[in-house]
Amino acid sequence: MLLDKFVNGNKTYTSYEDLKNQFSILIPESFNFAYDVADEYARTEPSRKALVWCDDAGDERIFTFQDLKTASDKTANFLVNHGIKKGDAVMLILRRRYEFWFFLLALHKIGAIAVPATHMLLKSDLEYRNNAAGIKMIVALDEPDSQEQVEQSLAASPTVQQLVTVGPERTGWINFHEEYDSLSADFLRPSGDSAAGNHDIMLLYFTSGTSGYPKMVQHDFTYPLGHIVTAKYWQNVVDGGLHLTVAETGWAKAVWGKIYGQWLAGSAVFAYDMLSFVPGKLLEKMAQYKVTTFCAPPTVYRYLIKHDLSKYDLSSLVYCTTAGEALNAEVYNRFYEQTGLKMKEGYGQTELTLTIGNFAGMEPKPGSMGKPAPGYRIDIVNGNGESCKAGETGEIVIRLDQGHPFGMFAGYYHDDELTAAAFAGDLYHTGDTAYYDEDGYFWFVGRIDDMIKSAGYRISPFEVESTLLQHPAVLECAVTGVSDAKRNQIVKATIVLASGYEPSQKLAQEIQDYAKHVTAAYKYPRLIEFVPELPKTISGKIRRVEIREKDNGSSTVSTVE
């Protein structure tokens, strides 16, 4: 098994304690995922399935590792022919198209820097990213709106030299598929100074912060090995199985679940290139292709449980995980009732791999993130930097005095000052708050900036949101604090209603009464606003800061007291 080359000693652990204390990774002197994993499978098991791809139009492509070696070698030759070399930054705007895997592996082979990005970026977003990362080439799918935004960004993006379209001809763009068939399928692994080293930059992600400009998170060539824990011991992917992570390739969650750890652990990956998220269609694809393991944010599960899951043949599904935002216990319970599967929550950031999780052998506590992952020394600290006791809320930090965890980011690109601040005092501050219980399970509370202070109480938005989501009328909600002369702040709930419910004074009062009966009185939302949708980052995270700014900037709020 390929995994044996990179994991020290035992591969199967009978308890969480054994996994946490005994697991370690063997890092080769010069590791390159494209050659040492993908191409190694092509050499030893060329017919092993690697990628199963389909879309809403009924198209389907199934790639073996030999297919991907040929495709990535041809793509590497394409890139080199157009001037891309080691250290160059190439932006990939490819949604969930199979060419993403061609280009990502090819860039790894060259030693260039892959910069995945979402197709939802607008002109100003692209200008910032192009200049901050020194983007040399942009590869984009043939979506007119997206490609137009790219073109509009060029005047203010002097480093961008070439545009590559994946699809039909477009004026001013190089057509990838027009050249593809004529390219050589042989690409020689670089050596010496031309080869990528372990500490060279392989991936660059822009964080989807809820405020301020995105930071540039850089990962080096050892980063994929950190996702062995993500895939093997958290997602529990099946050797020879098929794993689906819903994320679009523009986000770091995609490489958590669409390539590195899954292939290292022997699982093929499933890519459903959906134009929009339709729960029923997703369930149909999962049944049709017999997905064995599945990972999605709680938002996706919230929509899935509104369907009658018994109508879909999900008998192949053996393990489900969730991350990206905090999991409400209500979502966990409803999914378990309908499938018999206990969802395993996990926690991490763009800067990290899986950091806290519910691992095999652990009995999950609904709503808990789980326990620290192997390699991560996690602590909860108060405002004075002192370790908190069980039950006390503080910031999640990672202690670095005994070294950096495998898979942790190498720093912020071209920003030594920000990097030094991130690692100051042998601590990495996540900016997230949590507490741990007497059994060592961690419970998410919220972002530090999102905490509400009302009449002397500290209130977690997530805690109130978890309560409100148990009401059948509430599909999504965001809880924020609104300034108040008497209480400093009062709790406001901005709510998206489930299908079949209409906004009304009566419904708002019903939701408030419900909250009063299931949570402490000081936590219930004194203000309720019904909205058609919540403001979110382009990665789908709720922007509570936008709600706060809107409320602070207006003299009145459309609410119900």
Side-chain angles (χ1 to χ4, degrees):
M1 186 177 180
L2 188 58
L3 192 65
D4 294 343
K5 293 184 176 182
F6 307 109
V7 177
N8 192 23
N10 188 26
K11 312 300 180 301
T12 304
Y13 300 92
T14 58
S15 69
Y16 163 75
E17 287 71 24
D18 287 344
L19 171 66
K20 183 71 166 65
N21 296 326
Q22 297 178 22
F23 177 83
S24 64
I25 287 177
L26 298 170
I27 301 178
E29 271 188 33
S30 182
F31 176 74
N32 187 307
F33 180 86
Y35 295 113
D36 300 326
V37 178
D39 281 8
E40 182 63 11
Y41 273 126
R43 185 183 71 82
T44 60
E45 300 179 71
S47 61
R48 179 186 271 263
K49 193 181 298 180
L51 174 65
V52 177
W53 176 90
C54 67
D55 66 8
D56 284 326
D59 291 336
E60 173 190 272
R61 293 287 300 272
I62 297 176
F63 299 90
T64 65
F65 279 102
Q66 181 58 57
D67 294 332
L68 288 182
K69 172 174 168 43
T70 299
S72 60
D73 279 348
K74 289 167 75 76
T75 305
N77 281 314
F78 170 86
L79 290 166
V80 169
N81 290 347
H82 289 286
I84 299 301
K85 61 185 183 302
K86 176 184 173 182
D88 288 339
V90 177
M91 183 180 288
L92 304 177
I93 309 176
L94 293 172
R95 209 173 59 211
R96 297 176 181 87
R97 280 283 300 189
Y98 55 80
E99 289 91 348
F100 173 80
W101 284 262
F102 295 6
F103 275 95
L104 188 67
L105 291 170
L107 291 167
H108 293 350
K109 288 182 173 183
I110 295 168
I113 302 171
V115 188
T118 175
H119 66 288
M120 294 182 286
L121 296 176
L122 300 180
K123 172 179 174 286
S124 59
D125 303 314
L126 289 160
E127 288 174 350
Y128 170 72
R129 286 160 173 77
N130 292 342
N131 290 299
I135 299 296
K136 185 174 182 179
M137 173 187 284
I138 299 176
V139 183
L141 198 61
D142 63 317
E143 294 182 320
D145 289 346
S146 176
Q147 291 187 336
E148 285 174 12
Q149 295 297 322
V150 169
E151 290 167 348
Q152 291 174 21
S153 75
L154 293 182
S157 305
T159 64
V160 179
Q161 298 179 10
Q162 292 170 317
L163 305 179
V164 176
T165 181
V166 175
E169 290 286 339
R170 188 175 179 89
T171 302
W173 295 64
I174 302 164
N175 190 296
F176 171 65
H177 281 293
E178 187 176 84
E179 297 187 17
Y180 182 79
D181 289 340
S182 63
L183 295 165
S184 170
D186 294 315
F187 185 81
L188 187 64
R189 182 171 185 168
S191 59
D193 292 341
S194 297
N198 281 358
H199 300 299
D200 286 322
I201 303 307
M202 180 188 80
L203 266 177
L204 190 63
Y205 275 107
F206 287 80
T207 60
S208 56
T210 53
S211 62
Y213 282 112
K215 293 175 287 188
M216 296 183 290
V217 176
Q218 61 188 31
H219 285 291
D220 65 27
F221 276 80
T222 67
Y223 170 68
L225 294 172
H227 282 303
I228 291 174
V229 171
T230 306
K232 175 70 174 174
Y233 300 107
W234 175 55
Q235 293 170 343
N236 273 259
V237 299
V238 178
D239 189 4
L242 187 63
H243 177 78
L244 168 59
T245 283
V246 172
E248 191 238 303
T249 61
W251 306 110
K253 191 61 170 58
V255 292
W256 279 45
K258 289 184 179 293
I259 182 167
Y260 298 136
Q262 294 69 40
W263 287 358
L264 278 158
S267 176
V269 295
F270 179 56
Y272 169 32
D273 190 17
M274 63 182 97
L275 292 175
S276 60
F277 171 56
V278 179
K281 285 187 178 181
L282 177 62
L283 290 165
E284 288 172 3
K285 297 294 185 184
M286 292 172 66
Q288 177 185 350
Y289 288 94
K290 300 188 183 305
V291 168
T292 54
T293 52
F294 177 65
C295 185
T299 297
V300 169
Y301 285 102
R302 278 199 291 272
Y303 282 93
L304 295 184
I305 60 178
K306 299 290 183 181
H307 280 59
D308 180 3
L309 297 183
S310 66
K311 294 191 302 185
Y312 305 90
D313 180 8
L314 301 178
S315 58
S316 297
L317 194 61
V318 296
Y319 216 88
C320 292
T321 47
T322 186
E325 59 188 71
L327 172 67
N328 302 97
E330 180 68 10
V331 177
Y332 174 98
N333 291 330
R334 297 290 80 77
F335 188 78
Y336 177 57
E337 288 172 4
Q338 295 188 50
T339 65
L341 296 173
K342 297 179 178 180
M343 220 187 306
K344 302 296 182 77
E345 187 177 358
Y347 165 85
Q349 296 182 326
T350 302
E351 289 88 343
L352 312 167
T353 55
L354 183 77
T355 310
I356 301 170
N358 285 275
F359 299 97
M362 288 173 54
E363 181 63 27
K365 294 185 178 185
S368 167
M369 296 185 291
K371 296 183 179 182
Y376 283 95
R377 297 178 60 239
I378 307 294
D379 199 2
I380 304 290
V381 300
N382 60 25
N384 297 321
E386 302 164 335
S387 295
C388 293
K389 298 177 182 178
E392 295 179 351
T393 296
E395 184 187 9
I396 304 171
V397 299
I398 299 170
R399 296 202 173 275
L400 306 174
D401 53 304
Q402 296 180 17
H404 286 217
F406 39 78
M408 187 176 192
F409 77 127
Y412 293 109
Y413 192 60
H414 289 173
D415 199 326
D416 294 339
E417 185 177 343
L418 191 59
T419 299
F423 299 138
D426 285 331
L427 286 178
Y428 170 68
H429 291 266
T430 66
D432 291 319
T433 59
Y435 66 90
Y436 63 89
D437 62 23
E438 293 182 353
D439 296 321
Y441 284 73
F442 283 65
W443 300 79
F444 183 82
V445 174
R447 291 292 296 173
I448 289 177
D449 292 343
D450 288 337
M451 294 296 290
I452 301 167
K453 298 176 183 178
S454 179
Y457 296 103
R458 288 174 59 84
I459 302 170
S460 160
F462 171 69
E463 196 172 11
V464 182
E465 290 165 4
S466 296
T467 296
L468 297 177
L469 284 166
Q470 296 176 44
H471 192 285
V474 180
L475 178 63
E476 288 189 291
C477 66
V479 168
T480 52
V482 174
S483 297
D484 180 78
K486 294 180 179 179
R487 296 181 176 87
N488 181 51
Q489 287 181 309
I490 54 176
V491 177
K492 177 193 174 186
T494 305
I495 293 174
V496 177
L497 291 174
S499 177
Y501 292 88
E502 295 294 331
S504 69
Q505 295 272 76
K506 181 179 178 182
L507 180 57
Q509 187 64 58
E510 179 186 317
I511 292 171
Q512 287 176 315
D513 291 343
Y514 175 81
K516 290 177 185 177
H517 284 94
V518 295
T519 191
Y522 66 88
K523 298 178 185 176
Y524 91 92
R526 295 175 181 272
L527 300 174
I528 288 181
E529 180 178 11
F530 296 116
V531 296
E533 61 182 1
L534 295 174
K536 295 179 180 179
T537 68
I538 47 183
S539 65
K541 295 180 181 179
I542 296 170
R543 294 194 79 244
R544 294 182 185 86
V545 65
E546 186 172 322
I547 296 173
R548 290 195 298 265
E549 289 172 351
K550 170 179 167 288
D551 291 345
N552 291 337
S554 61
S555 57
T556 60
V557 181
S558 176
T559 60
V560 178
E561 274 275 12

